[in-house]
Amino acid sequence: MTPRTDGLASPAWARAFTRARRLATGGQRRALGWFRLGIAALEVVALIGNFVYVLGFRAFATANFFSYFTVQSAFAAVATLVLAGGYALLAPRDPRWLGTLRTIVTVYVVISGIVFALIVANASTRDYRIEVPWSDTLLHFVVPALALVAWTVDAVLAVNPPVSWSTIAWVLAYPSLWLGYTLVRGADVGWYPYFFLDETQVGGPVGVAVYCAIVLVIFVAVTAGLVAINRGLWRRARDRRARRSGTSDRRAGRAVALATPR
C-alpha cells in the first residue's frame, strides 16, 4: 500500500494551530490591555500632580492650564488608552478606526514631549531656567515613551488591521482647531501657552508662522514614520505567520503519512 496523503489531517492540524495561536495572541492582548490601562492611570496621576503643582503660582488661571496642548492631548490619551485597554481585554482585535485614533493620540503625546524638551533646551541657552517637576517629567517624557512602547507592541503583534496612510491627514485636524482657538484667545487675554505663539517673542506674525510651520512638519513626519513602521511590522508578521503555517502543515502531512499503515 502507498501512504495515504489525502490531506484530511492537514486541515484539522491547521485548525488546531490556529486555535493555539489565538490563545497565545489572546494572552498577549490581555497583557497589552492591562499595560494600556496602566499607562492611562499613570497619565491621570501626572495630570493631577501637575495641576496641584501649578496651583502654587499666584498668576495661575485654571483656563490657562486646560488650554495647553499637552494637557488636552493627555486627556485624549487617557480616554483612548482606557478604550483601547477595554478592547484588548474583551475583544480579539481592535476596530480599524481605533488603530487610527491610537496612532493620532500617540503622535500628540510624543510631539508634546518633543516640543517641551525643545522649550527647556531653548530656555537654557538664554540663561532662563525652567523647573521640571516630577509631574512634568511623567507628563512629557515617561508617559509618551510608554505610549510609544504600547503602540509598538501592538504593531509587532499585528493582530489589528494596518494603520491607513490617511492618518497623516487626520492627525492635523485637532491641532489646527487648537491653534486657531489659542491664537484668538491669546490675543484676547494676552497669554499664550507656548512662547512661539506670542508674536512679541518671535519677531512678529512671520515668526509665529515659521514656528507653526516647523511644528506642522514635525506632526507630518512623526505620523508618516509611525504609519510606515506599523505597516512594515504588520507585513513582516503576516509573512512570518504564513511561513510558519506552511512549514507546520508540511511536517504534519509527513507525520500522518509515516503513521498510516501500509
Side-chain angles (χ1 to χ4, degrees), residues 10-260:
S10 182
W13 179 91
R15 288 193 294 271
F17 174 79
T18 300
R19 285 194 295 270
R21 189 182 69 187
R22 285 176 178 173
L23 286 173
T25 304
Q28 293 169 338
R29 271 185 61 76
R30 283 191 293 274
L32 178 61
W34 287 115
F35 185 49
R36 289 171 173 174
L37 293 177
I39 299 172
L42 189 62
E43 186 79 294
V44 171
V45 171
L47 284 167
I48 294 174
N50 202 243
F51 185 75
V52 171
Y53 170 75
V54 297
L55 281 176
F57 293 92
R58 293 182 179 179
F60 169 75
T62 302
N64 289 350
F65 176 80
F66 291 103
S67 293
Y68 279 97
F69 185 84
T70 298
V71 172
Q72 294 181 15
S73 62
F75 277 105
V78 170
T80 301
L81 287 166
V82 169
L83 181 62
Y87 266 105
L89 291 173
L90 302 174
R93 65 181 61 193
D94 297 345
R96 184 179 293 274
W97 61 264
L98 185 55
T100 299
L101 179 62
R102 286 190 302 100
T103 301
I104 290 173
V105 171
T106 301
V107 170
Y108 290 167
V109 296
V110 168
I111 289 182
S112 294
I114 292 174
V115 171
F116 183 76
L118 292 175
I119 291 174
V120 172
N122 182 70
S124 63
T125 61
R126 301 186 179 185
D127 296 326
Y128 178 76
R129 181 177 177 271
I130 295 180
E131 184 177 356
V132 183
W134 65 267
S135 56
D136 269 325
T137 301
L138 285 181
L139 200 62
H140 294 97
F141 303 122
V142 176
V143 169
L146 293 176
L148 191 58
V149 169
W151 182 92
T152 304
V153 169
D154 180 86
V156 171
L157 291 179
V159 174
N160 299 317
V163 178
S164 171
W165 286 108
S166 63
T167 305
I168 298 174
W170 284 108
V171 80
L172 298 177
Y174 180 72
S176 299
L177 293 174
W178 175 86
L179 178 62
Y181 156 79
T182 301
L183 292 177
V184 171
R185 180 177 183 273
D188 181 52
V189 302
W191 177 88
Y192 297 88
Y194 305 104
F195 78 91
F196 56 84
L197 298 177
D198 185 354
E199 62 183 55
T200 63
Q201 297 190 51
V202 292
V206 174
V208 173
V210 170
Y211 273 102
C212 289
I214 293 173
V215 175
L216 175 66
V217 171
I218 295 175
F219 269 106
V220 172
V222 172
T223 308
L226 289 186
V227 172
I229 291 171
N230 174 272
R231 298 179 72 86
L233 290 174
W234 187 87
R235 284 193 300 268
R236 289 181 60 183
R238 178 198 59 188
D239 296 342
R240 184 171 60 252
R241 288 170 180 168
R243 287 194 299 270
R244 288 177 179 174
S245 178
T247 300
S248 300
D249 277 344
R250 289 192 295 273
R251 289 176 179 172
R254 287 196 296 268
V256 170
L258 291 172
T260 302

